């Protein structure tokens, strides 16, 4: 399960991820991280069977946690399959198929937004949380 973690100015400098790993024994895969001034966001991948335990620990530590059930959407009907999104995806979640149509693997997506910005017809969207 992918989780979006948001850290505010009170907790941004604390080793919360390390503490959560030590407390739960669950390895968290960090897929994306961004710190801007006094706030930060991290996307982590957590094993489904341990998700509830990890979320409870993070919430106790005042981390805002959002499940990323649907990481990205693409309007198939209006996509022109130009590939602009393919070239900017840092994790290979977007690729050409054998028929030269652009396909997205939502499980690989880390919601960086590169494809959204690259799409000339604006058919790719990240969910709003």
């Amino acid at each position: 399960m992918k989780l979006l973690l948001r850290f505010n100015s009170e907790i941004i400098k604390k080793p919360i991820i390390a503490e959560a790993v030590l407390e739960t024994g669950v390895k968290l895969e960090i897929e994306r991280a961004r710190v801007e001034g006094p706030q930060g966001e991290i996307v982590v991948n957590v094993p489904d069977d341990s998700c509830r335990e990890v979320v409870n620990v993070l919430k106790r530590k005042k981390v805002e946690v959002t499940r990323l059930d649907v990481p990205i959407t693409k309007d198939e009907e209006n996509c022109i399959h130009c590939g602009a999104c393919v070239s900017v995806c840092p994790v290979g979640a977007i690729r050409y198929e054998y028929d030269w149509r652009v396909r997205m693997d939502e499980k690989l997506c880390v919601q960086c937004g590169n494809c959204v910005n690259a799409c000339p017809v604006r058919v790719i969207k990240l969910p709003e949380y």
Side-chain angles (χ1 to χ4, degrees), residues 20-38:
V21 169
L22 289 172
E23 285 180 37
T24 63
V26 177
K27 295 178 182 176
L28 306 180
E29 178 186 355
I30 297 174
E31 295 193 348
R32 176 174 62 90
R34 182 177 69 212
V35 176
E36 293 178 357

Side-chain angles (χ1 to χ4, degrees), residues 85-103:
C85 55
V86 174
S87 63
V88 298
C89 182
V91 295
I94 308 172
R95 64 186 184 289
Y96 279 116
E97 288 292 322
Y98 67 93
D99 60 358
W100 291 102
R101 296 183 62 81
V102 172
R103 298 282 185 248

Side-chain angles (χ1 to χ4, degrees), residues 115-126:
C115 58
V116 174
N117 296 328
C119 181
V121 290
R122 301 289 181 225
V123 297
I124 302 172
K125 304 226 184 301
L126 289 171

Side-chain angles (χ1 to χ4, degrees), residues 11 30 43 49 76-77 128:
I11 60 174
I30 297 174
V43 174
D49 59 341
E76 288 293 334
E77 198 170 299
E128 294 183 25

Side-chain angles (χ1 to χ4, degrees), residues 3 46-58 67:
L3 302 174
V46 180
D48 289 345
D49 59 341
S50 304
C51 192
R52 183 180 306 271
E53 179 184 10
V54 171
V55 167
N56 289 338
V57 167
L58 292 169
R67 289 175 52 155

Side-chain angles (χ1 to χ4, degrees), residues 104-124:
M104 299 178 138
D105 185 341
E106 294 175 352
K107 291 180 181 175
L108 294 177
C109 179
V110 295
Q111 293 194 358
C112 66
N114 290 350
C115 58
V116 174
N117 296 328
C119 181
V121 290
R122 301 289 181 225
V123 297
I124 302 172

